[in-house]
Amino acid sequence: NSLWISTITAIIVTLFSSMAAYAVSRMRFPGRSVVPLLILAMSMFPQISIVGYLFEMFSKAGLINSHMALILPYIAWTIPIALWINMSYFTQIPLDLDKAALVDGAGRMKVLYKIIFPLALPGIFSSALLVFIACFNEFLFAIMLTIDYTTQTLPVGIALFQGLHGEIPWGNLMAASVVSTLPIMLMYIALRKQILRTFTEGAVKG
């Protein structure tokens, strides 16, 4: 459940935050500087203040104890950080590339996927990894919006794990906690070059 929900959320958030970051950082329209600030302000509401409303809303919609009950809040919760990371990276790419492609007849979407995406891959990978980690480790939404093991994520499963007679098996819990870090460690190892490139390029350009 954790892998499935985190992966789906990371893909959706990366797609939409990349398009939003491109629009805000490279297109001119009224109020474009206000959009990221509004999104950031909305993300500052603590989870505990909205989880009750989410539970009531998803109960009426019949989504409690489903993957969508976690994917939808996770998307709204992580889009701001992905948007700001992608914006900071997109602004480092010269606008002349967009203008040249538009003059040659390319549309905005083609410019994004053929030119901007390849150049901004390190930043996009970094934002996707941060979103994945945040969703993989999230606890409050997961414990409030899921009921049984069929949809519960790994942090909730570890927190609610008990022995046969109600005792707390600390050894098993510690082992499960260590094993639960393996997916994140493997992702970091696979993407470490992109992550390091993001930070080093940002430091040099800064």
Side-chain angles (χ1 to χ4, degrees):
N1 290 330
S2 294
L3 288 172
W4 174 254
I5 291 171
S6 301
T7 301
I8 294 297
T9 303
I11 292 173
I12 295 175
V13 168
T14 300
L15 178 64
F16 282 97
S17 65
S18 298
M19 292 190 291
Y22 176 80
V24 172
S25 63
R26 309 183 73 80
M27 298 173 64
R28 298 292 181 267
F29 57 89
R32 72 183 186 94
S33 59
V34 180
V35 173
L37 295 177
L38 288 176
I39 294 176
L40 183 63
M42 293 174 62
S43 71
M44 291 183 178
F45 286 96
Q47 291 177 271
I48 192 65
S49 68
I50 62 175
V51 68
Y53 300 102
L54 286 176
F55 184 87
E56 182 179 358
M57 182 173 63
F58 287 158
S59 295
K60 293 179 180 178
L63 294 177
I64 292 297
N65 204 44
S66 68
H67 288 158
M68 291 303 296
L70 295 181
I71 291 175
L72 294 177
Y74 286 176
I75 291 174
W77 179 49
T78 56
I79 269 188
I81 185 172
L83 173 63
W84 279 88
I85 291 174
N86 290 332
M87 278 179 53
S88 65
Y89 215 87
F90 285 8
T91 53
Q92 298 177 5
I93 301 174
L95 282 171
D96 292 338
L97 295 176
D98 301 54
K99 296 177 181 178
L102 293 172
V103 169
D104 289 339
R108 287 289 184 180
M109 292 300 292
K110 192 171 184 179
V111 172
L112 175 61
Y113 289 107
K114 294 290 186 179
I115 299 175
I116 305 302
F117 255 27
L119 293 175
L121 269 182
I124 293 172
F125 273 130
S126 298
S127 64
L129 182 59
L130 289 175
V131 169
F132 181 91
I133 293 173
C135 297
F136 195 87
N137 293 328
E138 199 280 328
F139 181 77
L140 181 59
F141 287 156
I143 197 171
M144 292 294 294
L145 302 178
T146 59
I147 298 173
D148 56 44
Y149 70 94
T150 58
T151 52
Q152 285 175 344
T153 57
L154 197 54
V156 177
I158 293 175
L160 300 182
F161 185 74
Q162 291 183 345
L164 181 62
H165 302 290
E167 76 279 4
I168 300 177
W170 290 109
N172 293 339
L173 287 177
M174 295 302 103
S177 300
V178 172
V179 173
S180 68
T181 63
L182 290 179
I184 296 176
M185 291 176 62
L186 292 175
M187 286 192 65
Y188 174 78
I189 292 172
L191 301 175
R192 66 185 185 281
K193 291 183 179 179
Q194 286 81 1
I195 297 173
L196 292 174
R197 180 181 167 190
T198 300
F199 291 125
T200 54
E201 287 188 359
V204 172
K205 291 183 180 180

